[in-house]
Amino acid sequence: NKKAIGESHSKLILVGEHAVVYGKPAIAMPFPLKVRATVKESKGPIKFKSSLYRGYIYEMPNEMRGIEECIKETLNYLNKPIRDLHITIDSLIPIGRGLGSSAAISITIVRSLFSFYRQKLSKDILFSLVTVAETYAHGNPSGLDMIASSSEYPIWFKKGKESMTIKIREPFHIVVADTGRTGNTRRAVTNVKKRYDLEKSNIQKSLAKIERIADESKYALVNGDNNLLGKLMNLNQQELINLGVSDDNLNKLINVAINAGALGAKLTGGGLGGCIIALGRDLEHSKVVADELVKSGVEKSWYFSTENERLY
Ligand code: PMV
């Protein structure tokens, strides 16, 4: 029986979320929570299975429209009928927490379908097919998620421009804590737009500051200055508060991380729920920060070292 597998992983935005929608630069990196899609032959309408939904693709709930469209677009592109397949998603990425689960799932679907039909997949085609799904999920996606979820290295990203990988000089350790509350990227992006229309000069100032923060963060990474990177993450958080995408619970957890000695901390992704990230001083200290966050009630925390690419 014919079978094919496609894989991908989650991502973290280090700095620059939201401003990236307005053409400013952002820095994101792969985060090794994995997702896998398996495609098998099966007679009849396409069956789909994941922890969120099990059934036929034409009956998917509204919030999964992006995935349905991604499957259809990919099969149209491959000139294959939209039937006779069984697609299974196994994902360790929590949904709606700013870790890029929607982009990662779409990437695995496109990869697995191309592999099933033994077709070569270029980055450009992958991105154009995933954009279909991301547009349903986000409304006006910058494309940052899908690029970071398909990259093996930290990337420097500007909407509509070629992204660049960043060569980091010194390893760093990043703590991720999941509030357990689903963020709402679409709502957060809409809120920023409303604020932009109402208080243009205030929001433009924030966007310009975030642009400088992203530039300096790239400098910090390339020069191995983790203290500077931490400071810049803190400054970025202040601007995210001004954009209206943080909330009391995120701010509280960020303070917990800072009080535990983190070099910097901020929300990551769309905000209004989801995850925070904090920069640990070293591996041992990252564990301390991660444990403190759990004591403060986060649903889950991880820490990740770029030194050995391991997730703890
Ligand atoms: O919440 P996430 O992981 O989908 O991140 C969204 C990042 C934003 O900058 C807020 C939106 C975008 O399209 O880039």
Side-chain angles (χ1 to χ4, degrees):
N1 242 351
K2 225 170 119 183
K3 177 173 149 181
I5 285 171
E7 286 179 331
S8 179
H9 50 71
S10 59
K11 66 95 211 332
L12 300 175
I13 301 178
L14 273 183
V15 291
E17 52 272 271
H18 286 289
V20 73
V21 174
Y22 295 81
K24 307 296 187 196
I27 299 175
M29 60 184 272
F31 185 59
L33 291 172
K34 305 278 187 204
V35 50
R36 161 188 286 199
T38 310
V39 179
K40 282 190 213 152
E41 270 172 332
S42 161
K43 285 285 157 232
I46 296 183
K47 286 191 204 115
F48 185 88
K49 194 174 116 196
S50 74
S51 59
L52 290 178
Y53 170 78
R54 170 194 289 262
Y56 294 109
I57 67 155
Y58 281 104
E59 291 164 3
M60 280 176 150
N62 235 355
E63 62 272 20
M64 299 190 83
R65 270 300 298 288
I67 293 189
E68 179 188 333
E69 289 305 318
C70 179
I71 294 170
K72 287 200 235 163
E73 285 280 326
T74 306
L75 290 168
N76 276 333
Y77 180 88
L78 289 167
N79 245 325
K80 299 292 177 194
I82 303 173
R83 53 178 294 115
D84 299 338
L85 296 173
H86 189 176
I87 303 174
T88 308
I89 304 290
D90 295 299
S91 178
L92 294 174
I93 312 174
I95 308 276
R97 309 286 162 80
L99 298 179
S101 68
S102 67
I105 288 174
S106 305
I107 291 169
T108 61
I109 286 175
V110 176
R111 284 183 173 157
S112 63
L113 288 172
F114 270 71
S115 157
F116 187 80
Y117 289 111
R118 299 199 198 329
Q119 296 292 314
K120 252 186 92 111
L121 175 62
S122 71
K123 276 227 144 141
D124 285 347
I125 300 298
L126 172 68
F127 291 158
S128 80
L129 292 168
V130 171
T131 300
V132 173
E134 286 293 274
T135 303
Y136 279 94
H138 284 192
N140 174 25
S142 65
L144 173 60
D145 278 20
M146 67 179 177
I147 296 203
S149 290
S150 60
S151 169
E152 302 307 314
Y153 305 98
I155 51 147
W156 167 263
F157 176 87
K158 250 187 181 182
K159 193 174 176 174
K161 300 251 165 70
E162 186 85 18
S163 62
M164 276 172 9
T165 58
I166 297 181
K167 250 193 122 142
I168 57 171
R169 171 105 171 245
E170 290 293 328
F172 61 89
H173 301 88
I174 201 108
V175 181
V176 180
D178 180 0
T179 60
R181 290 180 301 128
T182 306
N184 190 331
T185 301
R186 197 186 252 273
R187 200 176 85 223
V189 169
T190 308
N191 283 358
V192 175
K193 176 75 175 72
K194 278 193 197 141
R195 275 206 179 185
Y196 185 89
D197 293 338
L198 284 172
E199 342 167 15
K200 204 164 185 158
S201 83
N202 170 25
I203 297 305
Q204 274 177 340
K205 262 190 219 150
S206 264
L207 298 177
K209 281 190 197 162
I210 296 175
E211 178 167 29
R212 270 210 306 281
I213 289 167
D215 283 336
E216 287 179 35
S217 301
K218 184 166 124 208
Y219 173 90
L221 287 168
V222 170
N223 289 287
D225 191 342
N226 291 342
N227 285 314
L228 175 60
L229 180 63
K231 281 189 195 133
L232 292 164
M233 285 166 65
N234 291 337
L235 291 176
N236 195 167
Q237 174 61 18
Q238 291 311 310
E239 299 314 319
L240 289 164
I241 292 174
N242 192 41
L243 295 183
V245 297
S246 195
D247 62 24
D248 289 348
N249 177 246
L250 289 167
N251 296 342
K252 183 194 116 192
L253 294 171
I254 286 162
N255 277 331
V256 169
I258 298 291
N259 288 335
L263 298 172
K266 62 185 276 294
L267 68 83
T268 187
L272 300 178
C275 290
I276 68 152
I277 55 173
L279 194 62
R281 291 171 186 271
D282 52 36
L283 195 61
E284 239 169 83
H285 175 250
S286 300
K287 181 176 181 345
V288 173
V289 176
D291 288 347
E292 281 302 313
L293 286 161
V294 168
K295 275 189 223 151
S296 303
V298 302
E299 188 167 287
K300 189 155 177 51
S301 70
W302 303 265
Y303 54 106
F304 173 65
S305 164
T306 64
E307 189 158 27
N308 55 11
E309 303 281 323
R310 265 188 69 182
L311 184 66
Y312 296 86

